[in-house]
Amino acid sequence: MDRVPVLEEPLKKLLGPATAKVMAEHLDLHTVGDLLHHYPRRYAERGELSTLADLPLDEHVTVVAQVATARILKFNNGRGQRLEVTITDGSGQLQLVFFGRGIHKPHKDLLPGTRAMFAGKVSAFNRKLQLAHPAYELLRGDSTEAVDTWAGALIPIYPATAKLESWKIAKAVDAVLPSAQEAVDPLPRSLRSGRGLVTLPEALLKIHRPHGKGDVAEAKDRLKWDEAFVLQVALARRRYAETQLPAVARKPQPDGLLDAFDAKLPFTLTEGQQKVTAEIFDDLATEHPMHRLLQGEVGSGKTMVALRAMLAVVDAGGQAAMLAPTEVLAQQHHRSVTEMMGELAEGGMLGGTEHATKVVLLTGSMGAAARRQALLDLVTGEAGIVIGTHALIEDKVQFHDLGLVVVDEQHRFGVEQRDALRSKGKQPPHLLVMTATPIPRTVAMTVFGDLETSVLDQLPAGRSPIASHVVPAADKPHFLARAWDRVREEVENGHQAYVVCPRIGDDLDDKAAAKKKSAEDEAEKRPPLAVVEVAEQLTAGPLAGLRVEILHGRMAPDDKDAVMRRFAAGDVDVLVATTVIEVGVNVPNATAMVIMDADRFGVSQLHQLRGRVGRGSAPGLCLLVTEMPEASPARGRLSAVASTLDGFELSRIDLEQRREGDVLGQAQSGVRSSLRVLTVIDDEEVIAEAREEAVTLVSKDPDLVHYPELRTALDALVDKEREQYLEKG
């Protein structure tokens, strides 16, 4: 299963230790194969000049332009001198500056009319953009060396770093490009010819040294298929392996706990809930583990669906565990489940009915006696349902017969945690993963490709619409004053409100913030607003006289729970909190939410937060406060959130604004994303088709006996850590 040795050659053998070290440290490129898969970000054309008109501040850029003027200026009473070069590309101009002894070579090279590639970090001086001491490479049309180096009409611009300019990467690629002929082609020949795709060696040659745009298109078509197909084969093998595992079939018993629960429900399930429940119950009745992702908008009734699945498993003699990401949420789930079940949650107690079971809570901060009792209830099987945080995963926790694991808010758990809980069953338990973050179909097929997906897209009857508005605090301060008036009005009408801030605001927090100042913070010259300070300002100012309390992640668990209980009981008018309220907090009487520094949150996160209001019969109001200027991308994001309540639409916007790598790589497994040319939004068709092809191939040959090249590619493209991530999914 070894990869072809040529592509495994360490780069230092071919490029020298200094260049190889920079490539390893700054670009995570270690072998010839790594460098061949480091594709150009874009291409500059000889005939046209790339645009200087919209260069991003503080980013490292590579531009192709022509020198318009060059002059030496003296400063510091003639003791110092600097070279100022103005370059142009037809769309705009950019100033280059060189200081001190570093001016002599550029002064000789950069004569008016000279064309060159320039690379450097864009900074601003006197409100004008400039590059200070940029690296440059002259483009002499008549020099055979330059023509050969930048073969053809297109100049590849590589993702580069300050330590390694694009053209140095291009020269390194030239050194290893002959090895591309040795690249193992993972796509089965029939698939390749059926879809008219070029071979892998040809694709690598064309993406790095294209003779025209047609070459780039052909190469990308082919490389996208590689990435989509290899990933989908890994996932298809994972799903196939799941079907080979044994599990206990859990069929709901008639006249049991579930029927007793349904009989006392004061409402009927929505059509969506019934459909999704049928899918889950079908899975539970099979003798291999269910692996299902349940996604539904905030408030679509996922908890009800999950609870009925848990009751069905208890009816069938098993136990169910629900894993929540925070103590606040675990306590909240425990409270709402016991309230919904009533006397059915009082198994073994006075007042419990014949079908009742025990519902226990297990969190890290419980007292020793309560914890001992909970552990005892689990190991004896007395407790049919346990709700807890990652404390459930600890070695001490033993189950009598774990049949179902429900994971809430999947994106907050590492795969290892999910895996550790699943290993608690005598046989692998069934798994239901819930998320309120809407996931576009392609991401579901890619990130959660090892899970079957169910979607709840109807809101239960009685849920109210939420009006959302952007409050531009800097442009229109009176809008912010009006926002606080609106909060007062809601409270006067007997309702409650949330105020959400990005930061807690105590000394620890401030030190961390001081250490980790981003360019954005530097630009704004103020740290994000904090719970502690905002609460003080509100009680002394616009919300004086109202009952205002705070809630954040650094409070003691009992204090957090006490605050949430007071808020739920209506003893608190306004809760000033961090995003600890983002998931699962359910207070139907809370109708207004003000999100301070809303531009500091992601699109999906804002949508999640907003779902905390409008949960009762009164309409919800969400005010997004920002000081960002009107034309900024951040304001564009907020306007998008304000304009739609469709979480799937917003998740697309969110994804388009972030790189997919964040979604597929770091966010999932902490390792670099394996996707380089595939984009999960634009390449929906390729992913869907690759999934079909992968399923067909794996069902015929799960061990890939007839596809050794594909096995090799699985090792190479889906790198080791990512393979483990998929294995544990």
Side-chain angles (χ1 to χ4, degrees), residues 4 22 70 76 97 125 196-197 210 240 379 500 521 596 683 721-722:
V4 172
V22 177
N76 208 358
V97 287
F125 181 70
L197 299 168
Y240 179 84
V379 77
V500 181
D521 290 346
M596 308 302 291
D683 297 319
E721 294 110 312
R722 193 162 165 76

Side-chain angles (χ1 to χ4, degrees), residues 94 131 159 190 193 213 231 235 333 357 380 460 481 520 536 557 690:
L94 182 65
L131 298 182
S190 57
S193 55
K213 288 180 179 171
L231 188 55
L235 292 166
H333 275 319
T357 187
T380 58
E520 187 177 279
E536 280 171 13

Side-chain angles (χ1 to χ4, degrees), residues 479-494:
F479 275 39
L480 184 56
R482 175 73 189 115
W484 300 126
D485 291 345
R486 283 291 289 114
V487 170
R488 272 191 171 284
E489 287 163 17
E490 290 298 314
V491 173
E492 278 159 17
N493 289 331

Side-chain angles (χ1 to χ4, degrees), residues 357-372:
T357 187
K358 222 175 191 184
V359 179
V360 299
L361 176 70
L362 190 65
T363 63
S365 65
M366 284 168 75
R371 188 181 171 77
R372 256 198 314 276

Side-chain angles (χ1 to χ4, degrees), residues 554-605:
R554 222 177 273 137
M555 288 163 63
D558 289 350
D559 297 346
K560 280 192 284 203
D561 195 41
V563 171
M564 271 319 301
R565 280 176 187 275
R566 285 200 295 278
F567 189 63
D571 299 335
V572 175
D573 298 322
V574 179
L575 188 62
V576 184
T578 55
T579 53
V580 290
I581 61 155
E582 179 186 350
V583 282
V585 173
N586 184 22
V587 180
N589 191 44
T591 52
M593 177 178 284
V594 181
I595 303 179
M596 308 302 291
D597 280 342
D599 47 90
R600 309 277 181 143
F601 300 98
V603 170
S604 294
Q605 198 174 23

Side-chain angles (χ1 to χ4, degrees), residues 470 624 634-644:
V470 178
L624 306 165
R635 273 284 281 280
R637 274 205 317 272
L638 296 181
S639 300
V641 174
S643 68
T644 178

Side-chain angles (χ1 to χ4, degrees), residues 6 19 81 87 142 154 165 210 271 360 371 378 443 508 694:
V6 180
T19 308
Q81 50 182 6
I87 58 173
D142 53 344
L154 295 177
E165 293 85 15
E271 226 173 282
V360 299
R371 188 181 171 77
L378 286 180
V443 181
L508 277 166

